[in-house]
């Protein structure tokens, strides 16, 4: 039982014991509740809206420990009931009719509770957002990921997002790098509060809506919104997998394209973590990759970058066996001494066939964009990197190629 300061606690305790249930613990706070759940002694948790800090993350952690949740409110149809339902508690027991306790427990056990996904909320697309081929009625989600060593995930994510927007499709770039955001720096939005942290907080309280996300994600051009990332690496604890899933679901309804700029690692340290209920830093990245329709793996063309890229693609295929990632080899330059064909060959031998796209090294264009805090398309529309990113965006969006503009793309 974890009902906070609710006046009905004694009454509830009596009803629970007299119905033959064994009360393992009366928890004083969320930490107490989580550790009791982790001890695997309890099957059901009775919670109330008056338990301070009760949120969707807590409910996820209870679900992960196979603890079923019954929400208890002072009476039916109260504000407490609405609060619990907004967090995703579906079985509610009013304290003024505790005769229904057995049925409530049965219902909670049968109907295993997960915080309700935000996916079912209505979409807000305008018809004019859909002048680009989008293969589903809701928006499409692309995750840009890659190994350590700053291979250019953020440059690629922003480049793709701005090219989707340039096609006339509403686009949201979500900076969900748990090792520190960089989208705000790339766009000169340094005085902004983090959009991601605001959205994660709203999601955790069960309050995130498409309308709210549209305010938290700052509009930088008429079709491009940006949800800026975490300002300091130590804020990663506030970005939980469930929150990322909710944010992506809302973003899917907000925009024709959502581009997720992801952190580099997907290791979950399961074997070395003693505290399995502790939040895991890379859990948010894994959630982003799992919810994306397309994963783009970015690596660099130099020897170190390429071997990391091979390992990253192998790791991704292990994590998501059914995904077919698009591999982007960034910063290609003649001095490296190998051709597109050599690289495709190496990748195919190591990790099997995948679509591979090459982007040129173009320091002048990238520097010009970041110095002005603008996108490559705004500052250097004709640069070779911008053109290659545009072609990739068109390919991903299903826009017919303009023959002279095709990027060097090899499908193996
Ligand atoms: N095609 C390119 N040509 C030249 N420079 C590039 C290119 N792509 C990325 N860069 C440069 O490489 C550096 C790293 O890029 P970026 O920040 O996009 O990497 P990242 O993978 O997101 O790294 P982080 O781990 O910091 O998030 C930046 O200085 C960027 O300007
Ligand atoms: Mg980055």
């Amino acid at each position: 039982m974890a009902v906070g300061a609710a006046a009905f606690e004694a009454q509830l305790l009596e009803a629970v014991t007299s119905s033959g249930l064994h009360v393992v613990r009366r928890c004083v706070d969320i930490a107490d509740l989580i550790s009791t759940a982790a001890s695997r002694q309890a099957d059901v948790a009775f919670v109330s809206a008056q338990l301070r800090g009760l949120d969707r993350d807590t409910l996820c952690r209870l679900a992960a420990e196979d603890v079923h949740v019954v929400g208890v409110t002072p009476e039916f149809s109260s504000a407490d009931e609405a609060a619990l339902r907004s967090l995703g508690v579906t079985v509610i027991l009013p304290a003024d009719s505790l005769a229904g306790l057995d049925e409530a427990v049965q219902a909670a056990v049968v109907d295993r509770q997960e915080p309700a996904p935000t996916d079912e909320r209505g979409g807000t697309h305008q018809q004019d957002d859909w002048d680009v081929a989008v293969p589903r009625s809701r928006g499409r989600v692309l995750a840009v990921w890659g190994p350590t060593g700053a291979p250019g995930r953020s440059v690629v994510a922003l480049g793709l997002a701005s090219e989707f927007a340039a096609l006339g499709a509403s686009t949201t770039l979500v900076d969900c790098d748990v090792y520190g955001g960089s989208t705000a720096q790339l766009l000169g939005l340094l005085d902004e509060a983090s959009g991601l942290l605001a959205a994660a907080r709203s999601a955790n309280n069960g309050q995130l809506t498409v309308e709210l996300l549209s305010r938290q994600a700052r509009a930088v051009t008429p079709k491009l919104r940006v949800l800026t990332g975490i300002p300091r690496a130590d804020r990663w604890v506030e970005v939980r997998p469930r929150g990322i899933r909710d944010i992506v679901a809302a973003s899917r309804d907000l925009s024709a394209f959502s581009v997720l700029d992801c952190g580099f690692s997907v290791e979950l340290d399961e074997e070395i973590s003693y505290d399995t209920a502790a939040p895991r830093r890379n859990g948010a990245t894994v959630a982003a990759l799992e919810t994306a329709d397309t994963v783009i793996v970015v690596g660099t063309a130099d020897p170190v970058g390429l071997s990391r890229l091979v390992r990253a693609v192998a790791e991704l295929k292990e994590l998501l066996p059914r995904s077919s990632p698009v591999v982007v080899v960034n910063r290609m330059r003649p001095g490296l001494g190998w051709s597109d064909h050599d690289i495709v060959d190496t990748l195919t031998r190591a990790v099997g066939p995948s679509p591979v796209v090459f982007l040129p090294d173009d320091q002048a264009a990238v520097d010009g964009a970041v110095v002005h805090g603008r996108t490559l398309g705004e500052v250097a529309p004709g640069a070779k990197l911008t053109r290659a990113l545009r072609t990739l965006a068109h390919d991903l969006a299903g826009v017919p190629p303009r023959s002279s503009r095709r990027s060097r793309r090899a499908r193996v």
Side-chain angles (χ1 to χ4, degrees), residues 10 70 111 137 188 284-285 304 367 374 385:
V70 175
D111 173 28
S137 56
T285 310
V304 174
D367 288 349
R374 309 296 285 266
L385 176 59

Side-chain angles (χ1 to χ4, degrees), residues 193-379:
S194 164
L196 184 74
L197 289 180
R201 259 192 310 274
S202 307
N204 212 13
N205 296 330
Q207 316 270 313
L208 186 65
T209 59
V210 176
E211 290 69 28
L212 185 55
L213 183 70
S214 75
R215 281 183 268 126
Q216 290 163 335
R218 153 109 179 235
V220 291
T221 67
K223 291 286 182 184
L224 178 62
R225 280 197 174 80
V226 172
L227 196 66
T228 54
I230 55 174
R232 291 195 326 256
D234 63 355
R235 305 286 300 266
W236 69 267
V237 276
E238 294 165 58
V239 186
R240 299 290 172 81
R242 179 78 243 175
I244 288 292
R245 289 199 186 92
D246 287 348
I247 291 168
V248 173
S251 184
R252 225 185 244 288
D253 283 338
L254 177 66
S255 303
F257 289 96
S258 301
V259 180
L260 316 179
D261 181 356
C262 299
F264 60 87
S265 177
V266 288
E267 284 166 22
L268 290 176
D269 301 333
E270 265 153 344
E271 284 79 13
I272 56 168
S273 173
Y274 296 106
D275 182 1
T276 52
R280 299 197 188 112
R281 184 175 204 146
N282 300 322
T285 310
V286 172
L289 297 177
E290 282 172 349
T291 48
D293 304 304
T294 305
V295 177
I296 295 163
V297 189
V298 182
T300 47
D302 57 287
V304 174
L306 205 55
S307 64
R308 285 177 176 164
L309 176 60
V310 166
R311 275 204 301 278
V313 176
E315 223 180 319
L316 182 74
K317 288 190 169 178
E318 208 171 290
L319 180 74
L320 303 173
R322 277 178 298 167
S323 87
S324 45
V326 175
V327 178
V328 168
V329 181
N330 191 20
R331 310 198 71 166
M332 273 298 275
R333 49 201 185 274
L336 290 169
W338 43 42
S339 66
D340 297 8
H341 190 77
D342 298 333
I343 291 181
V344 169
D345 238 29
T346 308
L347 283 164
T348 309
R349 267 187 280 111
V351 289
S354 292
V356 183
V357 178
F358 295 91
L359 297 178
D361 190 68
D362 196 343
Q363 197 67 61
V366 171
D367 288 349
V370 77
V371 163
H372 292 98
R374 309 296 285 266
T375 64
L376 280 165
E378 289 170 313
V379 169

Side-chain angles (χ1 to χ4, degrees), residues 153-154 177 182 261:
R153 292 182 300 267
S154 299
D177 189 333
S182 63
D261 181 356

Side-chain angles (χ1 to χ4, degrees), residues 24-69:
V24 175
R25 187 165 174 84
R26 291 163 70 182
C27 303
V28 292
D29 56 18
I30 292 286
D32 199 4
L33 172 63
I34 298 285
S35 60
T36 306
S39 73
R40 297 269 168 155
Q41 297 176 75
D43 300 308
V44 175
F46 292 90
V47 300
S48 91
Q50 288 158 58
L51 178 65
R52 276 173 66 105
L54 182 69
D55 58 15
R56 287 164 72 83
D57 186 54
T58 309
L59 295 175
C60 276
R61 291 165 78 175
L62 293 177
E65 302 293 355
D66 281 329
V67 173
H68 309 284
V69 175

Side-chain angles (χ1 to χ4, degrees), residues 48-248:
S48 91
Q50 288 158 58
L51 178 65
R52 276 173 66 105
L54 182 69
D55 58 15
R56 287 164 72 83
D57 186 54
T58 309
L59 295 175
C60 276
R61 291 165 78 175
L62 293 177
E65 302 293 355
D66 281 329
V67 173
H68 309 284
V69 175
V70 175
V72 190
T73 56
E75 64 218 6
F76 226 18
S77 296
S78 57
D80 281 17
E81 181 185 344
L84 289 172
R85 289 204 189 278
S86 76
L87 295 177
V89 177
T90 52
V91 178
I92 306 283
L93 176 68
D96 60 2
S97 66
L98 288 172
L101 191 137
D102 287 343
E103 288 77 32
V105 169
Q106 284 306 322
V109 170
V110 171
D111 173 28
R112 184 195 153 93
Q113 298 187 16
E114 291 275 1
T118 38
D119 300 37
E120 302 316 318
R121 293 188 183 138
T124 58
H125 299 300
Q126 300 299 310
Q127 199 55 43
D128 68 346
D129 290 339
W130 296 89
D131 45 7
V132 168
V134 178
R136 49 177 67 233
S137 56
R138 299 171 70 216
R140 201 170 137 195
V141 177
L142 301 97
V144 180
W145 179 73
T148 184
R153 292 182 300 267
S154 299
V155 165
V156 171
L158 176 58
L160 287 178
S162 59
E163 291 301 330
F164 289 140
L167 284 169
S170 62
T171 303
T172 302
L173 173 62
V174 180
D175 186 341
C176 50
D177 189 333
V178 286
Y179 292 87
S182 63
T183 309
Q185 283 84 344
L186 289 177
L187 290 169
L189 305 173
L190 295 176
D191 49 351
E192 292 290 306
S194 164
L196 184 74
L197 289 180
R201 259 192 310 274
S202 307
N204 212 13
N205 296 330
Q207 316 270 313
L208 186 65
T209 59
V210 176
E211 290 69 28
L212 185 55
L213 183 70
S214 75
R215 281 183 268 126
Q216 290 163 335
R218 153 109 179 235
V220 291
T221 67
K223 291 286 182 184
L224 178 62
R225 280 197 174 80
V226 172
L227 196 66
T228 54
I230 55 174
R232 291 195 326 256
D234 63 355
R235 305 286 300 266
W236 69 267
V237 276
E238 294 165 58
V239 186
R240 299 290 172 81
R242 179 78 243 175
I244 288 292
R245 289 199 186 92
D246 287 348
I247 291 168
V248 173

